[in-house]
Amino acid sequence: MSVVEEFLNQYAKKIDFYREAGRNCAHLCETNMEQMGIRTIVTSRANYDSFEEIEEDIADLAGVRIALYFPGDLVKVQKFIEANFQVKELRVFPGREVAEETINDIYQKRFSGYWATHCRVYLKEKDLSEDTRQYANTLIEIQIASALMHAWAEVEHDLVYKPYSGELSYEEYQILDELNGLVLAGEIALQRLQKAVKNRVSQTGKEFNNHYEVAMFLHTNLGSVSEGVPSEIVLGRVDLMFQCIRSTEFQKPENLKEILSSVHSEHGERPVVDQIMDQIQLRKPEIYERYQNIKQNEEMKYQMETLKIHRESGNRQGEANTLANIGYLYNSKEKYEEALHYFTKALQINIEIGGRQGEANQLLNLGSTFRLLGDTTNALEYCNKALKLHIKISYKQGQANALSLMGNIYADDGAFDDAAHYYRDALKIYRTTNYKIGEILQLNNLGILYLKLKDSDQAICCFYQSLEICKEYEYKQGERDVLYNLGNLMLSMEKSEEAIDYYEKAIAVQEESSNQKSKIGILASLGKIYSGRGETDKAYHYLQEALTISRSIDAKSSEAEILENIRRLQSVGSQ
């Protein structure tokens, strides 16, 4: 058997694998193009000395085709691919030098032929679920061109390279060349059309008709990618934002433009849409609340659809993982009974299939949820079970996670000596395994414990150690938490100015980390300080902002506490 025959034989056996790899890639592209407001048609296919060399050389064993409505969106799509895939090779057609090309002795082409960008990529393993990680090392070719060019290329390829009725005539080659010229002219017309649409959607008094127009408006006003200039803009979920601003004043370009001055589009860690919604939150909290609810519902819908797919395909591990993800979502909504239901189902499946790691993780999730419910007995019981199982399977980080959670439970009950014991044991393991986030967390926990024990020196020591590691590894969430705790420490020492300084630093860092829930405590603390100083306006401003965030993410316990503080403030003001 020749090398080619051997390759074809093996490829025939793997065709479903390549088809599925292409489908995963196409789904990622199609979903994100739609959300970003880029009009495309995305399709996928499964299309020397050794088999390995042939496989390496052939780019379209798995392929994805992105057909652009507007050729001017090419750079946006290319930047998306560079950010979301591991790019091995990029080819641009035609090359820099477009020489006169003779297909054969019959006809010499007048036009330049195929215009497109081909990217050979790998899916990033971190973006794949456990059941799709097998596709991480599969080379996929993504072809990007206008819808017009793709259509012409399909016709030309089938006629010229797959001739079913013999050699083409001079006239047939001439017609194909003529069509190529029309396509190239059509692409110029599409570029002009895109520019005309941009001008229309920017007009004062006009309303956006869809999220594609919103995306176009944002690119135009925050830094266009026209003329082939690469853009660093990450828009985010434009489709969700449009759902929220419909029938509001922000559906008009002039009103949306007013808040863009506060948006940082270049090299920002946060998507543009999230920054816009932060500004809208200050003006129209009800719109922001709607946005958060839609985001949560979208995520829940996605997880439920994924759960259905896993159940239909019989993927038990995938089913268990998705049940756990749904549990996390309910926990974030403070719907703990629902969270317990899904974590318990995930636990049962892991037990049935012998997934010891998953079993231990779900035991810990149950312990954490019972802690949130204030059920100390059940919380410790499940944590102990998780700890024993993690020890049995020799998973060090799992052991440390269980010890840390048990420390939290004892700290909640005021058993500070027991809490400190568990925190220190967890800290030792995290340091042994070089898990820096775990080390930061335990130092922070110990600092909080010393703060409760009114041991300021030990608290400061722990917080500063934690802060130093956060800055070294650019861990923004940890840095924000430590700054917040340092503010609390200064407040306990009656150093209100230093407390305000740390709180404001925490807010600045928090803006980069995009975790809204953590901002509530910082704002509420600032509200309390200014309330105690008698600066009612400032106090009310911070408390009201904290209340808005609490309601937008459905944080009921925080909302109740903040409302009580606002009532006290109002009662003092009325006296």
Side-chain angles (χ1 to χ4, degrees):
M1 182 183 292
S2 70
V3 174
V4 174
E5 288 173 330
E6 180 187 350
F7 170 78
L8 292 173
N9 190 32
Q10 292 195 42
Y11 180 68
K13 296 176 182 177
K14 296 171 70 175
I15 190 168
D16 287 339
F17 175 87
Y18 289 114
R19 185 180 290 118
E20 192 59 32
R23 190 178 292 124
N24 275 279
C25 182
H27 176 71
L28 179 62
C29 293
E30 183 175 34
T31 301
N32 281 274
M33 295 300 101
E34 168 71 18
Q35 293 171 357
M36 292 163 60
I38 301 175
R39 296 179 187 267
T40 62
I41 301 170
V42 183
T43 56
S44 65
R45 70 184 188 279
N47 319 342
Y48 317 14
D49 294 320
S50 67
F51 167 77
E52 287 77 14
E53 287 182 10
I54 298 174
E55 187 171 47
E56 178 68 18
D57 187 60
I58 296 179
D60 57 354
L61 290 176
V64 171
R65 180 173 288 171
I66 299 178
L68 302 169
Y69 280 46
F70 297 121
D73 286 334
L74 170 63
V75 176
K76 297 179 197 173
V77 176
Q78 189 175 319
K79 297 299 290 185
F80 164 77
I81 289 171
E82 290 172 355
N84 290 274
F85 297 93
Q86 182 183 337
V87 179
K88 180 186 177 185
E89 182 183 357
L90 187 145
R91 299 178 66 194
V92 178
F93 298 90
R96 290 184 179 179
E97 297 178 3
V98 183
E100 290 186 353
E101 181 183 351
T102 301
I103 295 177
N104 51 36
D105 294 335
I106 297 176
Y107 182 77
Q108 182 172 309
K109 291 174 66 173
R110 297 283 299 275
F111 294 102
S112 54
Y114 182 55
W115 281 71
T117 298
H118 290 192
C119 303
R120 291 185 179 187
V121 305
Y122 296 103
L123 295 164
K124 289 184 177 179
E125 189 171 343
K126 70 178 182 64
D127 296 328
L128 298 172
S129 60
E130 289 185 16
D131 48 314
T132 59
R133 280 187 188 144
Q134 58 184 316
Y135 304 117
N137 296 319
T138 304
L139 188 63
I140 301 169
E141 182 172 82
I142 304 177
Q143 301 175 356
I144 317 163
S146 72
L148 290 177
M149 185 60 69
H150 273 309
W152 175 83
E154 194 74 26
V155 172
E156 191 218 24
H157 186 269
D158 284 353
L159 287 176
V160 176
Y161 299 103
K162 297 179 180 178
Y164 298 109
S165 55
E167 183 66 38
L168 299 189
S169 66
Y170 180 91
E171 185 179 11
E172 287 171 308
Y173 280 122
Q174 190 177 41
I175 293 171
L176 282 171
D177 195 22
E178 182 182 6
L179 287 170
N180 183 225
L182 291 172
V183 166
L184 292 170
E187 290 193 344
I188 295 172
L190 285 172
Q191 288 175 323
R192 291 177 58 211
L193 177 61
Q194 186 175 23
K195 186 175 181 180
V197 174
K198 282 183 180 179
N199 291 336
R200 174 174 58 81
V201 301
S202 297
Q203 290 178 13
T204 301
K206 300 282 187 179
E207 291 188 343
F208 299 117
N209 293 306
N210 50 57
H211 75 282
Y212 297 108
E213 293 184 358
V214 176
M216 190 177 289
F217 171 80
L218 293 176
H219 272 291
T220 301
N221 285 275
L222 293 174
S224 175
V225 296
S226 61
E227 307 301 327
V229 179
S231 171
E232 297 295 332
I233 297 176
V234 178
L235 289 185
R237 296 296 303 270
V238 184
D239 56 333
L240 298 189
M241 186 181 84
F242 179 69
Q243 289 184 50
C244 297
I245 65 173
R246 289 184 71 171
S247 304
T248 73
E249 65 266 39
F250 299 110
Q251 194 174 353
K252 292 184 177 181
E254 62 268 26
N255 294 331
L256 191 58
K257 192 171 183 177
E258 287 180 8
I259 63 178
L260 294 187
S261 59
S262 302
V263 173
H264 304 287
S265 60
E266 296 298 317
H267 308 284
E269 292 185 10
R270 300 190 66 211
V272 165
V273 165
D274 287 351
Q275 296 182 58
I276 290 173
M277 294 311 300
D278 285 347
Q279 295 302 314
I280 288 177
Q281 177 193 358
L282 301 175
R283 297 163 171 81
K284 295 282 183 178
E286 66 276 12
I287 298 177
Y288 184 83
E289 184 175 351
R290 194 187 317 160
Y291 175 68
Q292 292 295 334
N293 288 335
I294 290 174
K295 278 180 72 174
Q296 288 184 337
N297 291 337
E298 283 279 313
E299 179 61 23
M300 185 65 78
K301 180 181 175 184
Y302 170 77
Q303 293 296 340
M304 288 298 186
E305 288 173 352
T306 303
L307 181 63
K308 182 181 177 183
I309 292 169
H310 287 318
R311 283 174 171 168
E312 289 175 350
S313 64
N315 183 350
R316 298 283 280 163
Q317 187 62 68
E319 181 182 354
N321 294 342
T322 307
L323 286 165
N325 289 338
I326 295 170
Y328 295 135
L329 285 173
Y330 276 118
N331 258 348
S332 69
K333 291 171 173 282
E334 297 185 8
K335 295 182 178 180
Y336 302 127
E337 295 295 342
E338 290 91 335
L340 288 174
H341 170 74
Y342 283 97
F343 287 142
T344 301
K345 280 192 169 184
L347 174 64
Q348 290 169 347
I349 292 175
N350 277 295
I351 292 172
E352 290 169 13
I353 65 176
R356 306 304 296 278
Q357 178 69 67
E359 181 185 347
N361 289 341
Q362 299 320 311
L363 287 168
L364 206 56
N365 284 333
L366 286 164
S368 177
T369 308
F370 276 116
R371 177 204 171 202
L372 293 170
L373 280 166
D375 187 341
T376 302
T377 302
N378 273 316
L380 286 174
E381 180 184 345
Y382 279 104
C383 285
N384 271 305
K385 288 180 180 178
L387 178 60
K388 289 175 182 176
L389 188 49
H390 276 129
I391 291 172
K392 193 170 185 178
I393 63 177
S394 301
Y395 183 46
K396 291 287 188 182
Q397 192 166 312
Q399 296 170 35
N401 292 342
L403 290 166
S404 175
L405 181 54
M406 292 168 78
N408 289 337
I409 295 167
Y410 280 113
D412 292 343
D413 272 8
F416 298 142
D417 288 340
D418 289 328
H421 166 73
Y422 284 106
Y423 287 152
R424 291 191 190 103
D425 284 351
L427 179 61
K428 287 177 186 176
I429 295 175
Y430 285 134
R431 282 175 169 167
T432 301
T433 58
N434 201 33
Y435 182 55
K436 293 299 179 181
I437 292 178
E439 185 178 350
I440 290 165
L441 179 65
Q442 294 320 301
L443 286 168
N444 211 13
N445 284 339
L446 284 166
I448 294 170
L449 207 60
Y450 286 124
L451 175 57
K452 290 176 179 177
L453 291 168
K454 302 188 183 305
D455 189 339
S456 303
D457 292 339
Q458 288 282 14
I460 288 174
C461 180
C462 289
F463 288 144
Y464 279 176
Q465 284 184 63
S466 183
L467 187 61
E468 187 177 338
I469 301 170
C470 288
K471 290 181 177 179
E472 182 182 354
Y473 290 90
E474 298 183 352
Y475 180 46
K476 296 296 184 182
Q477 181 178 327
E479 183 179 348
R480 176 207 60 220
D481 291 342
V482 176
L483 289 167
Y484 172 52
N485 288 327
L486 280 166
N488 291 339
L489 176 60
M490 292 300 119
L491 193 59
S492 72
M493 298 167 67
E494 298 183 354
K495 296 180 178 181
S496 60
E497 288 300 329
E498 289 89 339
I500 290 172
D501 183 53
Y502 278 119
Y503 288 144
E504 289 178 345
K505 285 179 180 177
I507 288 177
V509 174
Q510 190 278 332
E511 295 296 347
E512 297 180 46
S513 71
S514 76
N515 185 334
Q516 288 294 314
K517 190 169 186 177
S518 63
K519 192 175 181 179
I520 297 171
I522 305 171
L523 293 167
S525 296
L526 283 165
K528 289 177 185 177
I529 290 177
Y530 286 113
S531 176
R533 288 179 165 191
E535 298 181 49
T536 308
D537 290 342
K538 282 187 176 181
Y540 186 77
H541 166 76
Y542 284 115
L543 289 171
Q544 190 62 48
E545 191 174 346
L547 179 63
T548 300
I549 297 173
S550 298
R551 286 174 170 171
S552 70
I553 62 176
D554 203 24
K556 299 295 185 186
S557 57
S558 300
E559 181 182 345
E561 184 179 348
I562 295 163
L563 278 169
E564 182 59 33
N565 287 326
I566 291 175
R567 289 190 193 100
R568 287 177 190 159
L569 190 65
Q570 290 172 336
S571 65
V572 170
S574 63
Q575 291 175 359

